[in-house]
Amino acid sequence: MKINKILNSLLLCAGALMVPVTHAAQELPDRPISLVVGFVAGGAADTSARLIAERLGHNTGRSIAIINKPGAGGNIAHQFVAKGPKDGSMLLLGSVGPLTISPHLMEVSYDPFKDLVPVSGGVNFPNVLVVHNAAGVKTLKEFIALAKSEPEKVDYASSGFGAASHMAGELLNMEADVNMVHVPYKGGAQAMQDLLGERVTSYFSAPPTAMPYVEEKRLIPLATTGLKRPAYLPEIPTVAESGYPGFEALNWYAFVAPGGTPDPILDRWNEEVVKVLTDPEVVKKLTEFGMTPQPTTREEFAAFMKKESDKWGRIIKERNIKK
């Protein structure tokens, strides 16, 4: 009798321990997952999304489809996901522009702090300011001198109105007291093509997009937009060290989901995303792409997003930037 009681107690304990494991395994939808990207295929966002999605799919046993919805600096994709299914079957590779800049610049049909919810940070990287050879400048100092000597004739491309590349240019306008003309595109690939075609003077580009052309001597790098030189671009000075202390305009992507997605599902996706972003092989590949993995808790990313929103909101107000 005593042995039977002990066995029954052990079975009950074992059953209690097994429940959370079974529950956790059922938190992700057992159907294809959509990962929405707000930019065209071939750019930095798309490249990182495909790498991470491949590993996520492998780890979770789910089929993960990349859905590119370019336009309006990524806002179209964010609006789409804000109205998406709340069962964990749709994620968005959110970006700095639509999440923390655009709401200060224009009317958007979503609230990034209510209609979208954090899953985890993704990757971050500085932009690199590049010019075509015909611009006739080789340093940031020479570029600023050119912009001052030819007001409103020097322009800069961006991947969209309200994108990080747009704000980097506006911040340089403010800090250097120049008036470069902003030329927005529907993604980094199109902006780069017009720069190579000498239809625009400069572009605050993602490093993976720009550096192959720099190596081919088709573009000249002037400065990067982080506070420190990234390890993969040690020879290129920062804007901050080129005469504008404190200048920082990072680009970043992060994982978010439609608002109202249940916390257990968000927690599970956070666990899976962090697992991928700390995988040595994935970290190596992202670093080769010029990106720094930024895995976070859901709470850490929410705080980071608020800080970025406050920063860019203040700059937009000071510059009186309007669409």
Side-chain angles (χ1 to χ4, degrees), residues 115-156:
D115 299 324
L116 296 166
V117 289
V119 172
S120 171
V123 297
N124 68 64
F125 53 92
N127 283 322
V128 55
L129 175 60
V130 287
V131 296
H132 55 67
N133 293 321
V137 299
K138 293 186 177 181
T139 66
L140 182 62
K141 183 177 180 180
E142 292 175 352
F143 179 71
I144 295 301
L146 177 65
K148 288 186 175 181
S149 67
E150 300 185 33
E152 300 186 7
K153 289 187 179 181
V154 173
D155 52 21
Y156 72 97

mmCIF file of all heavy atoms in Angstrom, residues 115-156:
data_model
loop_
_atom_site.group_PDB
_atom_site.id
_atom_site.type_symbol
_atom_site.label_atom_id
_atom_site.label_comp_id
_atom_site.label_asym_id
_atom_site.label_seq_id
_atom_site.Cartn_x
_atom_site.Cartn_y
_atom_site.Cartn_z
ATOM 1 N N ASP A 115 -1.137 48.977 -31.612
ATOM 2 C CA ASP A 115 -1.560 48.066 -32.676
ATOM 3 C C ASP A 115 -0.480 47.054 -33.044
ATOM 4 O O ASP A 115 -0.749 46.095 -33.773
ATOM 5 C CB ASP A 115 -1.959 48.864 -33.921
ATOM 6 C CG ASP A 115 -3.121 49.802 -33.641
ATOM 7 O OD1 ASP A 115 -4.008 49.413 -32.845
ATOM 8 O OD2 ASP A 115 -3.150 50.915 -34.186
ATOM 9 N N LEU A 116 0.740 47.300 -32.563
ATOM 10 C CA LEU A 116 1.845 46.360 -32.750
ATOM 11 C C LEU A 116 2.487 46.124 -31.387
ATOM 12 O O LEU A 116 2.549 47.033 -30.563
ATOM 13 C CB LEU A 116 2.877 46.928 -33.728
ATOM 14 C CG LEU A 116 2.379 47.160 -35.160
ATOM 15 C CD1 LEU A 116 3.360 48.025 -35.942
ATOM 16 C CD2 LEU A 116 2.161 45.825 -35.885
ATOM 17 N N VAL A 117 2.952 44.917 -31.155
ATOM 18 C CA VAL A 117 3.541 44.598 -29.850
ATOM 19 C C VAL A 117 4.924 43.989 -30.041
ATOM 20 O O VAL A 117 5.164 43.232 -30.986
ATOM 21 C CB VAL A 117 2.652 43.625 -29.038
ATOM 22 C CG1 VAL A 117 1.391 44.336 -28.573
ATOM 23 C CG2 VAL A 117 2.292 42.394 -29.862
ATOM 24 N N PRO A 118 5.877 44.311 -29.155
ATOM 25 C CA PRO A 118 7.244 43.824 -29.290
ATOM 26 C C PRO A 118 7.353 42.317 -29.111
ATOM 27 O O PRO A 118 6.669 41.723 -28.276
ATOM 28 C CB PRO A 118 7.991 44.553 -28.166
ATOM 29 C CG PRO A 118 7.138 45.721 -27.811
ATOM 30 C CD PRO A 118 5.737 45.264 -28.035
ATOM 31 N N VAL A 119 8.229 41.715 -29.895
ATOM 32 C CA VAL A 119 8.630 40.324 -29.710
ATOM 33 C C VAL A 119 10.081 40.287 -29.251
ATOM 34 O O VAL A 119 10.410 39.736 -28.218
ATOM 35 C CB VAL A 119 8.453 39.511 -31.012
ATOM 36 C CG1 VAL A 119 9.055 38.108 -30.863
ATOM 37 C CG2 VAL A 119 6.977 39.408 -31.371
ATOM 38 N N SER A 120 10.967 40.922 -30.013
ATOM 39 C CA SER A 120 12.387 41.010 -29.652
ATOM 40 C C SER A 120 13.080 42.005 -30.568
ATOM 41 O O SER A 120 12.614 42.257 -31.689
ATOM 42 C CB SER A 120 13.077 39.647 -29.801
ATOM 43 O OG SER A 120 14.483 39.767 -29.663
ATOM 44 N N GLY A 121 14.184 42.563 -30.096
ATOM 45 C CA GLY A 121 15.053 43.299 -30.991
ATOM 46 C C GLY A 121 15.569 42.342 -32.058
ATOM 47 O O GLY A 121 15.520 41.120 -31.891
ATOM 48 N N GLY A 122 16.068 42.894 -33.157
ATOM 49 C CA GLY A 122 16.557 42.057 -34.244
ATOM 50 C C GLY A 122 18.023 42.301 -34.540
ATOM 51 O O GLY A 122 18.892 41.597 -34.054
ATOM 52 N N VAL A 123 18.295 43.324 -35.347
ATOM 53 C CA VAL A 123 19.672 43.696 -35.675
ATOM 54 C C VAL A 123 19.771 45.210 -35.728
ATOM 55 O O VAL A 123 18.764 45.906 -35.895
ATOM 56 C CB VAL A 123 20.119 43.113 -37.043
ATOM 57 C CG1 VAL A 123 20.124 41.604 -37.023
ATOM 58 C CG2 VAL A 123 19.234 43.643 -38.171
ATOM 59 N N ASN A 124 20.981 45.729 -35.559
ATOM 60 C CA ASN A 124 21.194 47.170 -35.763
ATOM 61 C C ASN A 124 22.500 47.378 -36.514
ATOM 62 O O ASN A 124 23.372 46.506 -36.529
ATOM 63 C CB ASN A 124 21.170 47.935 -34.434
ATOM 64 C CG ASN A 124 22.346 47.601 -33.556
ATOM 65 O OD1 ASN A 124 23.502 47.871 -33.894
ATOM 66 N ND2 ASN A 124 22.075 47.014 -32.398
ATOM 67 N N PHE A 125 22.620 48.529 -37.126
ATOM 68 C CA PHE A 125 23.825 48.865 -37.875
ATOM 69 C C PHE A 125 23.790 50.353 -38.222
ATOM 70 O O PHE A 125 22.718 50.949 -38.345
ATOM 71 C CB PHE A 125 23.934 48.032 -39.157
ATOM 72 C CG PHE A 125 22.713 48.091 -40.033
ATOM 73 C CD1 PHE A 125 22.594 49.025 -41.048
ATOM 74 C CD2 PHE A 125 21.672 47.200 -39.844
ATOM 75 C CE1 PHE A 125 21.470 49.085 -41.839
ATOM 76 C CE2 PHE A 125 20.526 47.241 -40.636
ATOM 77 C CZ PHE A 125 20.428 48.190 -41.642
ATOM 78 N N PRO A 126 24.966 50.972 -38.367
ATOM 79 C CA PRO A 126 24.986 52.358 -38.819
ATOM 80 C C PRO A 126 24.783 52.399 -40.324
ATOM 81 O O PRO A 126 25.007 51.400 -41.024
ATOM 82 C CB PRO A 126 26.400 52.817 -38.451
ATOM 83 C CG PRO A 126 27.214 51.575 -38.602
ATOM 84 C CD PRO A 126 26.323 50.451 -38.119
ATOM 85 N N ASN A 127 24.368 53.515 -40.843
ATOM 86 C CA ASN A 127 24.403 53.723 -42.280
ATOM 87 C C ASN A 127 25.778 54.265 -42.642
ATOM 88 O O ASN A 127 26.515 54.745 -41.772
ATOM 89 C CB ASN A 127 23.318 54.716 -42.711
ATOM 90 C CG ASN A 127 21.945 54.080 -42.746
ATOM 91 O OD1 ASN A 127 21.792 52.930 -43.144
ATOM 92 N ND2 ASN A 127 20.929 54.819 -42.320
ATOM 93 N N VAL A 128 26.111 54.200 -43.912
ATOM 94 C CA VAL A 128 27.358 54.785 -44.389
ATOM 95 C C VAL A 128 27.009 55.794 -45.482
ATOM 96 O O VAL A 128 26.260 55.480 -46.416
ATOM 97 C CB VAL A 128 28.336 53.706 -44.910
ATOM 98 C CG1 VAL A 128 27.696 52.828 -45.976
ATOM 99 C CG2 VAL A 128 29.613 54.338 -45.449
ATOM 100 N N LEU A 129 27.505 57.016 -45.328
ATOM 101 C CA LEU A 129 27.259 58.063 -46.310
ATOM 102 C C LEU A 129 28.225 57.867 -47.472
ATOM 103 O O LEU A 129 29.445 57.924 -47.300
ATOM 104 C CB LEU A 129 27.462 59.443 -45.681
ATOM 105 C CG LEU A 129 27.361 60.647 -46.629
ATOM 106 C CD1 LEU A 129 25.977 60.712 -47.278
ATOM 107 C CD2 LEU A 129 27.667 61.945 -45.883
ATOM 108 N N VAL A 130 27.667 57.609 -48.642
ATOM 109 C CA VAL A 130 28.486 57.395 -49.835
ATOM 110 C C VAL A 130 28.084 58.381 -50.930
ATOM 111 O O VAL A 130 26.933 58.824 -50.994
ATOM 112 C CB VAL A 130 28.353 55.950 -50.364
ATOM 113 C CG1 VAL A 130 29.078 54.969 -49.464
ATOM 114 C CG2 VAL A 130 26.888 55.547 -50.515
ATOM 115 N N VAL A 131 29.059 58.724 -51.776
ATOM 116 C CA VAL A 131 28.821 59.605 -52.920
ATOM 117 C C VAL A 131 29.388 58.944 -54.169
ATOM 118 O O VAL A 131 30.273 58.089 -54.084
ATOM 119 C CB VAL A 131 29.480 60.993 -52.731
ATOM 120 C CG1 VAL A 131 28.858 61.727 -51.551
ATOM 121 C CG2 VAL A 131 30.991 60.852 -52.544
ATOM 122 N N HIS A 132 28.888 59.346 -55.331
ATOM 123 C CA HIS A 132 29.464 58.836 -56.577
ATOM 124 C C HIS A 132 30.741 59.616 -56.897
ATOM 125 O O HIS A 132 30.972 60.713 -56.380
ATOM 126 C CB HIS A 132 28.459 58.892 -57.722
ATOM 127 C CG HIS A 132 27.867 60.242 -57.978
ATOM 128 N ND1 HIS A 132 28.593 61.316 -58.453
ATOM 129 C CD2 HIS A 132 26.594 60.709 -57.813
ATOM 130 C CE1 HIS A 132 27.814 62.368 -58.604
ATOM 131 N NE2 HIS A 132 26.590 62.032 -58.205
ATOM 132 N N ASN A 133 31.561 59.075 -57.748
ATOM 133 C CA ASN A 133 32.868 59.661 -58.043
ATOM 134 C C ASN A 133 32.772 61.065 -58.627
ATOM 135 O O ASN A 133 33.635 61.912 -58.383
ATOM 136 C CB ASN A 133 33.649 58.752 -58.995
ATOM 137 C CG ASN A 133 34.039 57.441 -58.341
ATOM 138 O OD1 ASN A 133 34.395 57.411 -57.166
ATOM 139 N ND2 ASN A 133 33.963 56.356 -59.101
ATOM 140 N N ALA A 134 31.724 61.306 -59.407
ATOM 141 C CA ALA A 134 31.591 62.605 -60.070
ATOM 142 C C ALA A 134 31.298 63.738 -59.090
ATOM 143 O O ALA A 134 31.393 64.915 -59.460
ATOM 144 C CB ALA A 134 30.490 62.540 -61.133
ATOM 145 N N ALA A 135 30.951 63.400 -57.837
ATOM 146 C CA ALA A 135 30.680 64.453 -56.843
ATOM 147 C C ALA A 135 31.941 65.254 -56.544
ATOM 148 O O ALA A 135 31.863 66.423 -56.127
ATOM 149 C CB ALA A 135 30.135 63.836 -55.561
ATOM 150 N N GLY A 136 33.101 64.643 -56.729
ATOM 151 C CA GLY A 136 34.354 65.366 -56.558
ATOM 152 C C GLY A 136 34.777 65.596 -55.122
ATOM 153 O O GLY A 136 35.570 66.508 -54.849
ATOM 154 N N VAL A 137 34.260 64.790 -54.184
ATOM 155 C CA VAL A 137 34.648 64.930 -52.775
ATOM 156 C C VAL A 137 35.107 63.583 -52.244
ATOM 157 O O VAL A 137 34.658 62.533 -52.710
ATOM 158 C CB VAL A 137 33.489 65.488 -51.912
ATOM 159 C CG1 VAL A 137 33.071 66.864 -52.392
ATOM 160 C CG2 VAL A 137 32.290 64.533 -51.937
ATOM 161 N N LYS A 138 35.998 63.620 -51.255
ATOM 162 C CA LYS A 138 36.513 62.382 -50.682
ATOM 163 C C LYS A 138 36.394 62.323 -49.167
ATOM 164 O O LYS A 138 36.690 61.287 -48.568
ATOM 165 C CB LYS A 138 37.968 62.187 -51.094
ATOM 166 C CG LYS A 138 38.144 61.943 -52.589
ATOM 167 C CD LYS A 138 39.586 61.622 -52.935
ATOM 168 C CE LYS A 138 39.720 61.319 -54.429
ATOM 169 N NZ LYS A 138 41.127 60.978 -54.794
ATOM 170 N N THR A 139 35.982 63.434 -48.547
ATOM 171 C CA THR A 139 35.817 63.469 -47.093
ATOM 172 C C THR A 139 34.500 64.153 -46.753
ATOM 173 O O THR A 139 33.918 64.873 -47.581
ATOM 174 C CB THR A 139 36.952 64.249 -46.412
ATOM 175 O OG1 THR A 139 36.878 65.635 -46.797
ATOM 176 C CG2 THR A 139 38.321 63.675 -46.788
ATOM 177 N N LEU A 140 34.044 63.926 -45.530
ATOM 178 C CA LEU A 140 32.809 64.574 -45.086
ATOM 179 C C LEU A 140 32.981 66.090 -45.077
ATOM 180 O O LEU A 140 32.061 66.831 -45.437
ATOM 181 C CB LEU A 140 32.406 64.075 -43.694
ATOM 182 C CG LEU A 140 31.104 64.652 -43.139
ATOM 183 C CD1 LEU A 140 29.916 64.272 -44.010
ATOM 184 C CD2 LEU A 140 30.872 64.183 -41.697
ATOM 185 N N LYS A 141 34.157 66.554 -44.675
ATOM 186 C CA LYS A 141 34.426 68.000 -44.648
ATOM 187 C C LYS A 141 34.267 68.614 -46.035
ATOM 188 O O LYS A 141 33.648 69.679 -46.201
ATOM 189 C CB LYS A 141 35.837 68.252 -44.122
ATOM 190 C CG LYS A 141 36.190 69.729 -43.979
ATOM 191 C CD LYS A 141 37.582 69.904 -43.389
ATOM 192 C CE LYS A 141 37.935 71.388 -43.251
ATOM 193 N NZ LYS A 141 39.298 71.572 -42.675
ATOM 194 N N GLU A 142 34.785 67.948 -47.053
ATOM 195 C CA GLU A 142 34.654 68.442 -48.429
ATOM 196 C C GLU A 142 33.202 68.392 -48.889
ATOM 197 O O GLU A 142 32.733 69.284 -49.605
ATOM 198 C CB GLU A 142 35.528 67.605 -49.359
ATOM 199 C CG GLU A 142 37.021 67.780 -49.136
ATOM 200 C CD GLU A 142 37.861 66.843 -49.979
ATOM 201 O OE1 GLU A 142 37.274 65.935 -50.628
ATOM 202 O OE2 GLU A 142 39.088 67.003 -49.988
ATOM 203 N N PHE A 143 32.495 67.355 -48.464
ATOM 204 C CA PHE A 143 31.085 67.221 -48.842
ATOM 205 C C PHE A 143 30.248 68.351 -48.242
ATOM 206 O O PHE A 143 29.406 68.944 -48.917
ATOM 207 C CB PHE A 143 30.565 65.863 -48.364
ATOM 208 C CG PHE A 143 29.117 65.613 -48.684
ATOM 209 C CD1 PHE A 143 28.702 65.378 -49.980
ATOM 210 C CD2 PHE A 143 28.164 65.577 -47.672
ATOM 211 C CE1 PHE A 143 27.371 65.120 -50.282
ATOM 212 C CE2 PHE A 143 26.835 65.331 -47.951
ATOM 213 C CZ PHE A 143 26.438 65.102 -49.262
ATOM 214 N N ILE A 144 30.490 68.659 -46.976
ATOM 215 C CA ILE A 144 29.761 69.751 -46.319
ATOM 216 C C ILE A 144 30.093 71.086 -46.987
ATOM 217 O O ILE A 144 29.212 71.935 -47.199
ATOM 218 C CB ILE A 144 30.094 69.801 -44.813
ATOM 219 C CG1 ILE A 144 29.585 68.536 -44.109
ATOM 220 C CG2 ILE A 144 29.482 71.050 -44.171
ATOM 221 C CD1 ILE A 144 28.101 68.287 -44.212
ATOM 222 N N ALA A 145 31.353 71.269 -47.353
ATOM 223 C CA ALA A 145 31.754 72.493 -48.043
ATOM 224 C C ALA A 145 31.023 72.626 -49.374
ATOM 225 O O ALA A 145 30.588 73.727 -49.760
ATOM 226 C CB ALA A 145 33.266 72.509 -48.256
ATOM 227 N N LEU A 146 30.890 71.488 -50.092
ATOM 228 C CA LEU A 146 30.154 71.500 -51.350
ATOM 229 C C LEU A 146 28.692 71.860 -51.126
ATOM 230 O O LEU A 146 28.112 72.663 -51.878
ATOM 231 C CB LEU A 146 30.257 70.126 -52.016
ATOM 232 C CG LEU A 146 29.481 69.938 -53.326
ATOM 233 C CD1 LEU A 146 30.047 70.844 -54.413
ATOM 234 C CD2 LEU A 146 29.528 68.471 -53.774
ATOM 235 N N ALA A 147 28.086 71.282 -50.079
ATOM 236 C CA ALA A 147 26.682 71.559 -49.774
ATOM 237 C C ALA A 147 26.473 73.029 -49.415
ATOM 238 O O ALA A 147 25.422 73.606 -49.726
ATOM 239 C CB ALA A 147 26.214 70.659 -48.636
ATOM 240 N N LYS A 148 27.458 73.626 -48.770
ATOM 241 C CA LYS A 148 27.335 75.041 -48.400
ATOM 242 C C LYS A 148 27.569 75.964 -49.590
ATOM 243 O O LYS A 148 26.979 77.049 -49.666
ATOM 244 C CB LYS A 148 28.325 75.368 -47.276
ATOM 245 C CG LYS A 148 27.921 74.773 -45.935
ATOM 246 C CD LYS A 148 28.841 75.228 -44.802
ATOM 247 C CE LYS A 148 28.333 74.717 -43.464
ATOM 248 N NZ LYS A 148 29.184 75.147 -42.325
ATOM 249 N N SER A 149 28.401 75.527 -50.512
ATOM 250 C CA SER A 149 28.697 76.368 -51.677
ATOM 251 C C SER A 149 27.601 76.298 -52.738
ATOM 252 O O SER A 149 27.462 77.199 -53.563
ATOM 253 C CB SER A 149 30.045 75.964 -52.305
ATOM 254 O OG SER A 149 29.959 74.661 -52.877
ATOM 255 N N GLU A 150 26.849 75.219 -52.730
ATOM 256 C CA GLU A 150 25.757 75.050 -53.692
ATOM 257 C C GLU A 150 24.471 74.685 -52.961
ATOM 258 O O GLU A 150 23.995 73.546 -53.032
ATOM 259 C CB GLU A 150 26.106 73.972 -54.714
ATOM 260 C CG GLU A 150 27.349 74.266 -55.541
ATOM 261 C CD GLU A 150 27.584 73.224 -56.620
ATOM 262 O OE1 GLU A 150 26.579 72.686 -57.140
ATOM 263 O OE2 GLU A 150 28.744 72.957 -56.930
ATOM 264 N N PRO A 151 23.906 75.648 -52.224
ATOM 265 C CA PRO A 151 22.693 75.386 -51.428
ATOM 266 C C PRO A 151 21.575 74.795 -52.280
ATOM 267 O O PRO A 151 21.292 75.254 -53.372
ATOM 268 C CB PRO A 151 22.310 76.784 -50.905
ATOM 269 C CG PRO A 151 23.577 77.557 -50.944
ATOM 270 C CD PRO A 151 24.334 77.040 -52.137
ATOM 271 N N GLU A 152 20.990 73.726 -51.776
ATOM 272 C CA GLU A 152 19.848 73.052 -52.375
ATOM 273 C C GLU A 152 20.163 72.346 -53.692
ATOM 274 O O GLU A 152 19.267 71.805 -54.341
ATOM 275 C CB GLU A 152 18.673 74.013 -52.561
ATOM 276 C CG GLU A 152 18.178 74.626 -51.250
ATOM 277 C CD GLU A 152 16.922 75.452 -51.424
ATOM 278 O OE1 GLU A 152 16.362 75.454 -52.528
ATOM 279 O OE2 GLU A 152 16.495 76.077 -50.440
ATOM 280 N N LYS A 153 21.429 72.316 -54.102
ATOM 281 C CA LYS A 153 21.808 71.573 -55.307
ATOM 282 C C LYS A 153 22.381 70.202 -54.948
ATOM 283 O O LYS A 153 22.381 69.290 -55.760
ATOM 284 C CB LYS A 153 22.819 72.365 -56.136
ATOM 285 C CG LYS A 153 22.214 73.582 -56.829
ATOM 286 C CD LYS A 153 23.218 74.233 -57.763
ATOM 287 C CE LYS A 153 22.585 75.429 -58.473
ATOM 288 N NZ LYS A 153 23.544 76.077 -59.413
ATOM 289 N N VAL A 154 22.896 70.076 -53.721
ATOM 290 C CA VAL A 154 23.394 68.792 -53.249
ATOM 291 C C VAL A 154 22.227 68.028 -52.627
ATOM 292 O O VAL A 154 21.535 68.554 -51.752
ATOM 293 C CB VAL A 154 24.523 68.973 -52.220
ATOM 294 C CG1 VAL A 154 24.907 67.629 -51.601
ATOM 295 C CG2 VAL A 154 25.739 69.617 -52.878
ATOM 296 N N ASP A 155 21.985 66.815 -53.083
ATOM 297 C CA ASP A 155 20.868 66.038 -52.549
ATOM 298 C C ASP A 155 21.347 64.724 -51.965
ATOM 299 O O ASP A 155 22.510 64.345 -52.094
ATOM 300 C CB ASP A 155 19.788 65.805 -53.615
ATOM 301 C CG ASP A 155 20.353 65.212 -54.897
ATOM 302 O OD1 ASP A 155 21.451 64.619 -54.849
ATOM 303 O OD2 ASP A 155 19.702 65.331 -55.952
ATOM 304 N N TYR A 156 20.434 64.046 -51.268
ATOM 305 C CA TYR A 156 20.746 62.734 -50.705
ATOM 306 C C TYR A 156 19.532 61.827 -50.834
ATOM 307 O O TYR A 156 18.392 62.260 -50.644
ATOM 308 C CB TYR A 156 21.206 62.843 -49.242
ATOM 309 C CG TYR A 156 20.121 63.179 -48.242
ATOM 310 C CD1 TYR A 156 19.497 62.173 -47.499
ATOM 311 C CD2 TYR A 156 19.717 64.500 -48.024
ATOM 312 C CE1 TYR A 156 18.513 62.474 -46.570
ATOM 313 C CE2 TYR A 156 18.737 64.808 -47.098
ATOM 314 C CZ TYR A 156 18.136 63.789 -46.371
ATOM 315 O OH TYR A 156 17.151 64.092 -45.447
#
